[in-house]
Amino acid sequence: MKSPIAIKRGTVAAVFIDLQEEHRQDPRYLVEGFAGILANVRRLQEAARANHVPLQHWAYIVDLDKQDRPFHPVGADGKSAFSDKSDPLTEICHEVAPADGEALLIKAEASAFRTGSAADRLKASGIEWLVIAGVWTEACIDASVKDAVAKGFRVLLVKDACGSGSAAMHQTGILNLANRLYGGAVTDTDGACRLLAGEVVSAWQVEGSVPLRFSFDNAAALYADL
């Protein structure tokens, strides 16, 4: 169900998850439509900066020398099969990299908010809403959104500024999150930029506890309606 929402100035932060070069250069971990996602993220970042909204940039880095991961996939060289600390492809894509004065935060797990003090710092600064974008939708976005909601944040999930290995993976990931996005909303980049500017926008919100049911046949159409 779509309903009008607004976000009070000073209560929102923008969070960007794992927008790293490996997702457009490593053939194993390419994100479908990544160029368009980066363009939308850049628009979000510009809107956030123009409206004095704080930005958080996150990168997923694996350091097997310090992390106990008995089942983690490794290559022939013994290094992590993805996002290894020594891999230059873990760099944030230059189009959406942190600007001067914006920190790059490192996480060693899917969620940006499962451990550490990032959520507490946001709460302490009066943040109530998190605008979330990045990759992969069904993995690190899913984990970060669910942990943010569990910690009491309202999440604005920007569906066309997220992505995954395929459209099907992304769309069903968004639909699954939409079913459980209590207190938050789903919108597109246009809507998110308008909300960051203080406008009222009609955005999709979960209604009660009845799930939005989808099948192989209707998932894409339901996603488009969000």
Side-chain angles (χ1 to χ4, degrees):
M1 178 182 73
K2 286 190 175 181
S3 55
I5 65 169
I7 298 177
K8 183 180 177 182
R9 288 186 180 275
T11 67
V12 58
V15 179
F16 303 101
I17 306 289
D18 301 353
L19 294 161
Q20 293 160 265
E21 284 289 346
E22 61 190 330
H23 302 304
R24 68 173 164 188
Q25 293 195 47
D26 189 329
R28 301 169 300 168
Y29 304 115
L30 299 179
V31 167
E32 183 171 338
F34 198 42
I37 293 164
L38 292 175
N40 287 335
V41 166
R42 186 163 183 171
R43 289 176 56 203
L44 287 173
Q45 292 179 345
E46 290 171 351
R49 292 170 185 138
N51 291 284
H52 308 291
V53 171
L55 286 74
Q56 277 196 355
H57 305 265
W58 286 90
Y60 184 81
I61 305 291
V62 178
D63 184 350
L64 293 179
D65 294 330
K66 298 179 180 178
Q67 300 161 16
D68 182 18
R69 297 187 174 195
F71 304 115
H72 189 86
V74 297
D77 56 4
K79 296 180 180 179
S80 172
F82 55 88
S83 305
D84 187 80
K85 63 179 180 178
S86 65
D87 189 345
L89 296 186
T90 58
E91 293 289 329
I92 300 293
C93 297
H94 66 87
E95 304 97 318
V96 296
D100 290 343
E102 295 172 0
L104 174 61
L105 305 172
I106 304 301
K107 59 188 180 70
E109 55 193 336
S111 173
F113 303 115
R114 181 70 48 83
T115 59
S117 60
D120 291 337
R121 292 198 304 270
L122 288 167
K123 283 281 187 182
S125 65
I127 298 301
E128 300 173 7
W129 279 88
L130 299 179
V131 177
I132 293 184
V135 298
W136 285 27
T137 310
E138 80 290 353
C140 294
I141 295 297
D142 181 274
S144 297
V145 168
K146 287 176 178 174
D147 282 342
V149 173
K151 291 179 181 294
F153 292 101
R154 297 180 183 271
V155 169
L156 183 71
L157 180 61
V158 189
K159 65 178 185 177
D160 59 350
C162 296
S164 189
S166 70
M169 295 167 72
H170 166 65
Q171 290 170 1
T172 54
I174 292 289
L175 290 170
N176 278 326
L177 281 172
N179 272 335
R180 294 159 182 85
L181 200 57
Y182 304 118
V186 181
T187 190
D188 58 13
T189 301
D190 288 337
C193 289
R194 290 173 56 202
L195 283 163
L196 289 172
E199 296 183 36
V200 176
V201 170
S202 181
W204 193 91
Q205 295 182 290
V206 65
E207 185 177 26
S209 59
V210 179
L212 179 67
R213 296 182 183 273
F214 57 91
S215 66
F216 292 116
D217 296 325
N218 71 357
L222 288 175
Y223 169 84
D225 287 338
L226 288 177

